[in-house]
């Protein structure tokens, strides 16, 4: 085994240019072998990455998840071979050269874009451009919030991002850089691969944006350097690290740097270079080695850089061991909510069941949050400029402000997509459980980041109010119709639409306990009565659906509903029984996903064998799964309208009478 002293002596004989060329060679070889991928960005940013990882970043490949590591986000995720090559060179145990040889193949750790959880050290899933830089804003904010609580001895790290032209063109980037600049997230450093090339050709085909000026306007420190001048890159990073603002370093680079015929061309963006060009590139950069071969001296130089992170990690562990904040810090990073949270929710349910509290479920959510936030400091709330409509702030929650990160409430501004991405970053960073609010209709704007919450199995809670035509006068632009179907179609996402205050508290409990799944709480604007007949210690929403109203005789029809329409179903069942002598069961189905996970016997006991009618003030799509080919649906068939909520329910015929009539038609 080579000693550390030997490694250091070897490293001094190896230039950073050689180290960067190792990245270039591995990137072009891997893409060529896969006959698929993007060699241009890794080759163009190899010099920048070598400086960043060789001189600055504190990471430890032997303990990749230590809490005070620097975070690295490859926002330009199509250039994933840059990160995989770095991990192989640095010595991550799950990234041997064989994994690079399996690039983009089924079952490999080297997916086409970086995937959180697929390989060690991948901090976030990137791919949809703009998501990485926006998620990094949440990471940088989480670092500052955690430092405010536990001190710089335990929390003192940076978030570095490599972003491309595409990341900065995506609209979400504006939301992200605006928020980061406003909050003065000085530990966020973005290295922009300023190569002026996109898939179609030069970026001038589609943009004339002066990106440095845009970042300056958002309150960032901006520097511009030659991305192939390593000393200039290092000086810029050092300056950024001393700034009291987030930093953009515009690195002017040549895409496909080193390729003598294709370098600087969009042809290197998303296709293999080809055998002839790779041979010419090897000669051009002086890389006289076979494919996937890295000489020992260069590999040793890279492994030496990892020693810096190992030393930093050991020193941090010593500080943690001696810290009076150790227990609290480890609790926060562990993410386990205290039992007091769920005890408070149980007491809340009992109290309000006894009172038969009648409130809108958005108000019920606020009341439940008061109990939750009073029992833990791990929850971090926020809203996309709808705080007093979403009702997401509770008593005693101080606001996060520029330079002041000790609070628990974030004003995300009118940035639904940026909010969702930042919450992903907060969750991924660790130390907090984020929730944030907007109107359900604006799930469209947040959709890209919600999907990544689910893909990465992150506990992010989306509080989405004004859930139907029941919001009334704001009209069809604000009345969600297809949104429930869209969210329910998303794998690994729990969509909760509670019917009353008790179900709302139950759904909050389930969302907080879902450590590997995001949740959407879909909440009403209008007041809803409490529908449970008596308090139960059991969380009945935990199985996704249950029989809320048992019929007085053998079940003749089953009425299934969610949210505000459960009240309508109950009234229809009572009418069917009193006026027609028909025994109707009412099923409340607050969460399709959890019901789907129940065994067949339970689902059969809830749904029964009688004809079924579903009622929901939304699109029908998906309901046939539960009502069958012969079932009926009472709901929306088009967009809404502007009017008071009761008028809209009558206009669109989502009424007790309509539900009863649909049931009668099925069984008579």
């Amino acid at each position: 085994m080579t000693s550390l002293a030997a490694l250091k002596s070897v490293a001094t004989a190896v230039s950073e240019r050689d180290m960067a060329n190792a990245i270039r060679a591995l990137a072009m070889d891997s893409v060529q072998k896969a006959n698929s991928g993007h060699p241009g960005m890794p080759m163009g940013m190899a010099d920048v990455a070598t400086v960043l990882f060789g001189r600055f970043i504190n990471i430890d490949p032997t303990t990749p998840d230590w809490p005070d590591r620097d975070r690295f986000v490859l926002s330009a995720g199509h250039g994933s071979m840059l990160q995989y090559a770095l991990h192989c060179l640095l010595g991550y145990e799950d990234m041997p050269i064989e994994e690079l040889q399996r690039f983009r193949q089924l079952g490999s750790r080297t997916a086409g874009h970086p995937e959180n959880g697929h390989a060690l050290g991948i901090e976030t899933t990137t791919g949809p451009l703009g998501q990485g830089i926006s998620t990094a804003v949440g990471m940088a904010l989480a670092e500052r919030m955690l430092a405010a609580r536990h001190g710089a001895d335990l929390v003192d790290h940076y978030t570095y991002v490599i972003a491309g032209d595409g990341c900065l063109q995506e609209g979400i980037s504006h939301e992200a850089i605006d928020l980061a600049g406003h909050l003065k997230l000085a530990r966020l450093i973005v290295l922009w691969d300023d190569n002026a090339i996109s898939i179609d050709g030069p970026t001038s085909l589609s943009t004339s944006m002066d990106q440095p000026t845009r970042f300056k306007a958002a309150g960032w420190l901006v520097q511009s350097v030659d991305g192939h001048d390593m000393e200039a890159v290092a000086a810029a990073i050092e300056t950024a690290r001393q700034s009291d603002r987030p930093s953009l370093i515009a690195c002017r680079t040549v895409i496909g740097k080193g390729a003598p015929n294709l370098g600087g061309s969009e042809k290197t963006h998303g296709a293999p270079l080809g055998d002839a060009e790779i041979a010419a590139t090897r000669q051009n950069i002086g890389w006289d080695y076979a494919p996937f071969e890295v000489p020992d001296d260069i590999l040793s130089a890279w492994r030496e850089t990892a020693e810096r992170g190992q030393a930093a990690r050991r020193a941090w562990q010593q500080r943690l061991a001696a810290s009076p904040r150790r227990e609290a810090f480890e609790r926060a990073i562990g993410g386990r909510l205290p039992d007091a949270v769920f005890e408070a929710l149980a007491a809340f349910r009992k109290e309000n069941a006894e009172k038969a509290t009648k409130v809108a479920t958005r108000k019920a959510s606020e009341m439940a949050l008061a109990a939750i936030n009073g029992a833990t400091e791990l929850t971090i709330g926020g809203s996309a400029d709808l705080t007093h409509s979403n009702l997401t702030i509770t008593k005693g929650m101080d606001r996060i402000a520029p330079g002041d990160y000790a609070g628990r409430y974030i004003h995300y501004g009118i940035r639904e997509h940026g909010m969702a991405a930042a919450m992903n970053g907060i969750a991924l960073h660790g130390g907090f459980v984020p929730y944030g609010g907007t109107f359900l209709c604006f799930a469209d704007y947040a959709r890209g980041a919600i999907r990544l919450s689910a893909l990465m199995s992150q506990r992010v809670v989306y509080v989405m109010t004004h859930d139907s035509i029941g919001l009334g006068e704001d009209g069809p632009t604000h009345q969600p119709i297809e949104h429930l179907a869209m969210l329910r179609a998303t794998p690994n996402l729990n969509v909760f639409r509670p019917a009353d205050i008790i179900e709302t508290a139950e759904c909050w409990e389930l969302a907080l306990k879902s450590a590997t799944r995001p949740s959407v709480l879909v909440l009403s604007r209008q007041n809803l009565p409490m529908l449970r007949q008596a308090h139960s210690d059991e969380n009945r929403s935990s199985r996704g659906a249950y029989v809320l109203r048992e019929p007085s005789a053998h079940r003749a029809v089953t009425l299934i509903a969610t949210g505000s329409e459960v009240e309508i179903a109950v009234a229809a069942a009572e009418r069917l029984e009193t006026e027609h002598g028909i025994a109707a069961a009412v099923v409340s189905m607050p969460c399709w996903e959890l019901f789907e996970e129940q065994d067949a016997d339970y689902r059969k006991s809830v749904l029964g064998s009688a004809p079924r009618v579903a009622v929901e003030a939304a699109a029908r799509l998906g309901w046939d799964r539960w009502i069958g080919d012969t079932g009926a649906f009472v709901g929306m068939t088009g967009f809404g309208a502007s009017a008071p909520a009761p008028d809209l329910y009558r206009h669109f015929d989502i009424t007790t009478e309509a539900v009863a009539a649909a049931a009668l038609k099925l069984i008579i």
Side-chain angles (χ1 to χ4, degrees):
M1 180 177 291
T2 306
S3 69
L4 178 58
L7 281 175
K8 288 183 177 178
S9 64
V10 167
T12 58
V14 173
S15 72
E16 285 183 309
R17 194 70 62 194
D18 292 331
M19 295 168 71
N21 284 337
I23 296 173
R24 292 188 172 96
L26 290 175
M28 66 183 184
D29 289 344
S30 299
V31 172
Q32 185 69 21
K33 181 172 176 57
N35 195 30
S36 173
H38 302 76
M41 192 281 272
M43 296 174 73
M45 284 297 281
D47 298 324
V48 173
T50 298
V51 172
L52 177 62
F53 279 78
R55 302 195 197 184
F56 293 99
I57 274 188
N58 280 327
I59 56 171
D60 181 1
T62 68
T63 314
D65 60 348
W66 66 287
D68 201 36
R69 68 193 180 278
D70 290 333
R71 269 57 171 184
F72 172 68
V73 174
L74 185 66
S75 189
H78 54 276
S80 58
M81 265 312 306
L82 175 68
Q83 187 155 22
Y84 301 144
L86 283 164
H87 283 204
C88 180
L89 293 166
L90 289 166
Y92 280 81
E93 66 177 4
D94 69 336
M95 199 58 66
I97 200 72
E98 290 79 11
E99 282 297 329
L100 274 59
Q101 293 170 336
R102 299 200 303 141
F103 180 51
R104 287 184 162 227
Q105 304 309 301
L106 184 64
S108 74
R109 297 186 182 94
T110 47
H113 293 78
E115 299 284 352
N116 175 258
H118 285 215
L120 298 174
I122 306 296
E123 301 286 0
T124 182
T125 293
T126 55
L129 293 176
Q131 290 291 336
I133 185 174
S134 306
T135 303
V137 170
M139 293 180 179
L141 178 55
E143 188 272 342
R144 290 290 80 197
M145 292 191 297
L146 207 60
R149 288 154 180 76
H150 300 284
D153 279 353
L154 299 183
V155 186
D156 183 18
H157 56 265
Y158 290 85
T159 300
Y160 296 99
V161 179
I162 286 181
D165 292 298
C167 297
L168 303 192
Q169 287 185 43
E170 288 285 359
I172 190 176
S173 76
H174 181 81
E175 299 182 22
I177 69 170
D178 189 6
L179 181 61
H182 170 72
L183 291 175
K184 300 187 184 302
L185 299 180
R187 298 304 183 90
L188 177 62
I189 299 174
V190 175
L191 299 135
W192 169 33
D193 180 18
D194 181 17
N195 61 30
I197 293 291
S198 60
I199 294 175
D200 284 354
T203 54
S204 59
L205 289 170
S206 59
T207 181
S208 301
M209 177 64 71
D210 183 341
Q211 293 288 2
T213 298
R214 180 167 76 113
F215 276 79
K216 287 178 185 177
W220 289 52
L221 172 69
V222 175
Q223 304 173 76
S224 296
V225 299
D226 177 349
H228 305 300
D229 182 338
M230 291 182 166
E231 293 306 321
V233 171
I237 294 174
E238 188 56 48
T239 298
R241 285 164 57 93
Q242 306 307 316
S243 176
D244 61 354
R245 294 175 285 164
S247 291
L248 173 75
I249 303 174
C251 303
R252 173 60 74 173
T253 60
V254 176
I255 191 172
K257 172 73 171 176
N261 303 304
L262 297 180
S265 165
E266 70 274 8
K267 293 179 181 178
T268 69
H269 172 83
L273 298 183
D275 291 333
E277 185 70 2
I278 286 177
T281 302
R282 276 183 153 75
Q283 183 175 4
N284 189 43
I285 66 176
W287 191 261
D288 190 22
Y289 309 105
F292 298 104
E293 180 184 339
V294 179
D296 288 343
D297 58 346
I298 295 177
L299 187 61
S300 295
W302 270 111
R303 298 292 163 86
E304 179 187 342
T305 68
E307 287 290 333
R308 185 187 63 254
Q310 290 175 16
R313 188 258 302 167
R314 293 188 191 104
W316 176 83
Q317 286 178 325
Q318 291 175 354
R319 295 195 303 274
L320 176 65
S323 174
R325 297 287 305 170
R326 176 178 179 174
E327 185 178 343
F329 178 82
E330 290 180 336
R331 246 192 338 262
I333 287 295
R336 184 182 181 277
L337 290 163
D339 293 341
V341 170
F342 306 110
E343 292 166 0
L345 283 173
F348 174 88
R349 286 164 44 205
K350 186 175 189 299
E351 176 187 356
N352 285 283
E354 292 169 352
K355 292 179 178 178
T357 304
K358 179 179 181 178
V359 291
T361 51
R362 64 168 176 160
K363 179 65 177 177
S365 172
E366 178 190 43
M367 295 164 66
L369 274 171
I372 294 164
N373 292 335
T376 181
E377 294 186 352
L378 294 185
T379 46
I380 295 292
S383 172
D385 201 54
L386 289 167
T387 293
H388 300 295
S389 291
N390 301 145
L391 304 180
T392 41
I393 196 169
T394 60
K395 186 177 180 180
M397 295 186 81
D398 293 330
R399 293 168 169 83
I400 299 292
D404 182 0
Y405 310 104
R408 294 177 58 192
Y409 194 82
I410 304 166
H411 289 279
Y412 289 102
I414 309 166
R415 306 182 183 99
E416 294 88 358
H417 202 177
M419 174 182 72
M423 288 198 295
N424 282 341
I426 292 169
L428 286 160
H429 180 277
F432 304 102
V433 179
Y435 69 87
T438 187
F439 289 172
L440 178 59
C441 200
F442 303 148
D444 286 337
Y445 283 0
R447 161 67 179 164
I450 293 173
R451 184 172 185 268
L452 289 189
S453 302
L455 187 61
M456 294 188 289
S457 301
Q458 293 303 301
R459 180 172 51 182
V460 177
V461 183
Y462 296 93
V463 181
M464 296 194 167
T465 68
H466 296 61
D467 68 343
S468 69
I469 59 171
L471 70 89
E473 292 85 346
D474 275 348
T477 59
H478 283 51
Q479 291 166 7
I481 303 299
E482 71 279 22
H483 301 75
L484 283 168
M486 174 267 287
L487 292 167
R488 287 167 176 160
T490 305
N492 198 44
L493 177 68
N494 282 342
V495 182
F496 295 102
R497 190 166 185 245
D500 63 6
I501 190 169
I502 305 303
E503 284 193 1
T504 302
E506 290 178 337
C507 292
W508 260 113
E509 176 183 334
L510 295 167
L512 293 175
K513 286 183 174 179
S514 298
T516 59
R517 189 180 294 185
S519 300
V520 180
L521 272 67
V522 178
L523 307 169
S524 74
R525 179 177 184 265
Q526 68 273 35
N527 287 342
L528 301 176
M530 196 196 79
L531 297 172
R532 297 276 179 89
Q533 295 300 308
H535 170 68
S536 169
D537 289 335
E538 178 190 2
N539 184 329
R540 302 191 71 190
S541 297
S542 67
R543 304 187 78 173
Y546 62 96
V547 179
L548 173 68
R549 181 190 186 276
E550 294 282 2
S552 58
H554 181 72
R555 188 189 303 194
V557 66
T558 300
L559 310 180
I560 314 171
T562 74
S564 48
E565 286 72 67
V566 178
E567 176 187 10
I568 294 173
V570 170
E574 292 171 352
R575 172 175 291 216
L576 286 167
E577 186 164 340
T578 56
E579 295 184 8
H580 302 281
I582 293 173
V586 176
V587 171
S588 179
M589 189 179 281
C591 184
W592 288 20
E593 295 77 22
L594 293 181
F595 187 61
E596 181 72 46
E597 293 173 3
Q598 305 307 307
D599 61 53
D601 288 342
Y602 179 76
R603 293 200 305 270
K604 183 177 180 181
S605 71
V606 171
L607 296 176
S609 57
R612 302 168 195 164
V613 179
V615 52
E616 188 172 68
R620 177 172 182 153
L621 186 65
W623 270 107
D624 292 279
R625 166 70 179 84
W626 307 117
I627 60 177
D629 294 340
T630 59
F633 177 74
V634 176
M636 298 295 293
T637 57
F639 293 111
S642 179
D647 294 345
L648 291 172
Y649 273 88
R650 286 191 293 270
H651 175 75
F652 290 107
D653 206 19
I654 305 175
T655 62
T656 299
E657 295 80 7
V659 175
L664 288 170
K665 188 174 181 180
L666 287 179
I667 60 181
I668 295 178

